[in-house]
Amino acid sequence: MDLAEALLALLLGSVLVVSLLSNLLVLLCFLSSSELRQQVPGLFLVNLSLCNLLLTVLNMPFTLLGLLWRQQPVGDCACQAAGFLETLLASNAMLSMAALSLDKWVAVVFPLSYASKVRGRDAALLLAYAWLHSLAFPLAALACSWLGYSGTYASCTLYLRVEAERRRFTAFTVAFHAASFALSLVVLCFTYLKVLRVARFHCRRIDVITMQTLVLLVDIHPSVRQRCLNEQKRRRQRATKKISIFIGSFVLCFAPYVITRLVELLPFITINNYWGVISKCLTYSKAALDPFVYSLLRQQYKKVVINIVNRLLRRDLYPSSGYNSSLDTENDYCLHRPN
């Protein structure tokens, strides 16, 4: 094993450990908090974490072994099963992110009717569709024997065995990535850009009120005025930053792999093995990033994590205070939902 392969193995091993621990923590938070279980977006987050966790446990180790051994790490049947699960879980995770963006769009753009538009039953139906949608492609690949070990990616994945089937395999691969990556990206861009538009509108309203207040308070201390102006600037940047992370992490992690899979369909192009493994590691890194992007950095989840830690240490969270607030203090988009 050369230095590049050793570094790739170290990177993949690190991603595996972080993904395993962070996704387990999200599921533990959900099980420990009745408040999180009552929220509709929690269903999408649990589904996303479950997909990421299964991908971490059932696929990443095979890729790591394939990279270390430079050969197929398991038998053909097990490799086909791993490729089936990878295709299913990766597609379902993308659709779960799209469902989360739809939920955020309805909550921000239609706050008064959110409770009636998005209910637990609606979320369950959307998740059922996501699983059926994701299941169709690996079933088709299994029926056509297009699952196997690819040395380019050191993993069990979609793989063309017979050159005579290249045209059918090309059509299938394009359709798969269009119905998973491209569809999810379009939904993410549409919904989050709508959310950003509403957020900026409300931020401008708050900015007008802030400036009017500062004009009226002529005796205000300069330091207080400056703090108000700094907060005004941070408020304008907050929504843009969050939405950039949502869309940017999706594109950065998935686009290189998807583009590589599409480019290699051309018979006269050969993909470098190092780049193939790097693009695969990027897709796996999304499983490690999702818990932080969507869950663990939110105040509500932080509070649950603190409760869990203190419970494990057998300490009371607030020994000298009657504080028992259960509100999520996160203010993602400068908006306040009406009671």
Side-chain angles (χ1 to χ4, degrees):
M1 176 182 291
D2 57 23
L3 178 60
E5 290 177 338
L7 292 176
L8 287 174
L10 179 62
L11 172 63
L12 182 55
S14 302
V15 169
L16 192 155
V17 172
V18 174
S19 177
L20 179 64
L21 295 178
S22 58
N23 284 287
L24 279 175
L25 185 57
V26 172
L27 295 178
L28 182 60
C29 288
F30 187 81
L31 293 174
S32 302
S33 172
S34 59
E35 183 180 357
L36 293 178
R37 293 195 298 271
Q38 293 172 359
Q39 297 175 358
V40 173
L43 295 176
F44 301 132
L45 290 172
V46 166
N47 188 70
L48 178 60
S49 293
L50 183 61
C51 288
N52 289 335
L53 186 60
L54 292 174
L55 188 69
T56 302
V57 174
L58 300 177
N59 286 97
M60 289 189 196
F62 291 154
T63 302
L64 182 58
L65 291 177
L67 181 60
L68 294 174
W69 295 349
R70 299 183 180 181
Q71 63 181 4
Q72 182 173 319
V74 292
D76 289 340
C77 291
C79 191
Q80 287 185 359
F84 181 95
L85 288 173
E86 182 205 49
T87 308
L88 168 66
L89 296 172
S91 177
N92 193 275
M94 293 182 191
L95 294 176
S96 296
M97 296 174 218
L100 282 167
S101 70
L102 284 170
D103 176 81
K104 180 64 70 175
W105 172 61
V106 176
V108 173
V109 179
F110 308 103
L112 297 179
S113 57
Y114 173 79
S116 61
K117 288 179 179 292
V118 182
R119 294 169 292 182
R121 183 183 62 182
D122 302 320
L125 289 174
L126 189 57
L127 287 178
Y129 167 76
W131 279 99
L132 291 175
H133 181 113
S134 304
L135 188 61
F137 288 96
L139 283 176
L142 182 63
C144 297
S145 298
W146 288 338
L147 296 171
Y149 179 78
S150 172
T152 303
Y153 306 99
S155 63
C156 300
T157 182
L158 293 175
Y159 180 68
L160 178 63
R161 296 175 181 273
V162 182
E163 186 65 26
E165 296 183 345
R166 176 171 291 277
R167 183 172 297 180
R168 293 175 57 210
F169 182 76
T170 298
F172 172 83
T173 304
V174 171
F176 169 66
H177 291 300
S180 54
F181 173 77
L183 175 62
S184 300
L185 180 59
V186 168
V187 173
L188 260 67
C189 291
F190 172 81
T191 53
Y192 282 133
L193 291 179
K194 290 287 186 181
V195 168
L196 181 60
R197 183 179 178 182
V198 173
R200 285 178 172 175
F201 171 76
H202 284 271
C203 284
R204 283 196 297 268
R205 292 179 57 187
I206 296 174
D207 291 345
V208 170
I209 296 174
T210 301
M211 294 305 298
Q212 291 175 345
T213 304
L214 292 177
V215 169
L216 293 175
L217 297 175
V218 294
D219 296 331
I220 191 172
H221 194 276
S223 63
V224 177
R225 182 187 297 271
Q226 187 61 42
R227 283 200 301 269
C228 292
L229 294 175
N230 291 338
E231 177 59 28
Q232 185 182 53
K233 182 179 179 180
R234 286 194 297 268
R235 187 167 49 242
R236 287 196 299 266
Q237 297 174 346
R238 193 174 298 134
T240 303
K241 180 180 178 181
K242 288 180 177 292
I243 291 175
S244 297
I245 291 174
F246 290 146
I247 299 178
S249 63
F250 183 90
V251 173
L252 180 63
C253 293
F254 288 124
Y257 178 73
V258 172
I259 294 173
T260 302
R261 293 308 304 253
L262 294 177
V263 169
E264 75 170 351
L265 296 174
L266 300 174
F268 54 86
I269 291 183
T270 302
I271 303 299
N272 180 272
N273 287 357
Y274 290 131
W275 171 249
V277 175
I278 290 173
S279 65
K280 196 68 178 179
C281 289
L282 283 175
T283 63
Y284 286 151
S285 68
K286 192 68 169 73
L289 289 175
D290 284 341
F292 300 99
V293 171
Y294 290 101
S295 305
L296 296 178
L297 296 182
R298 292 175 53 193
Q299 290 296 328
Q300 197 171 21
Y301 278 84
K302 288 180 180 179
K303 189 178 70 174
V304 175
V305 170
I306 293 174
N307 279 329
I308 293 173
V309 171
N310 281 276
R311 199 180 307 160
L312 292 175
L313 298 177
R314 296 182 180 180
R315 297 187 309 193
D316 293 332
L317 183 57
Y318 304 108
S320 62
S321 172
Y323 177 79
N324 60 354
S325 173
S326 62
L327 296 176
D328 184 357
T329 57
E330 180 191 26
N331 184 12
D332 284 345
Y333 307 108
C334 310
L335 300 177
H336 297 278
R337 281 185 199 164
N339 294 326

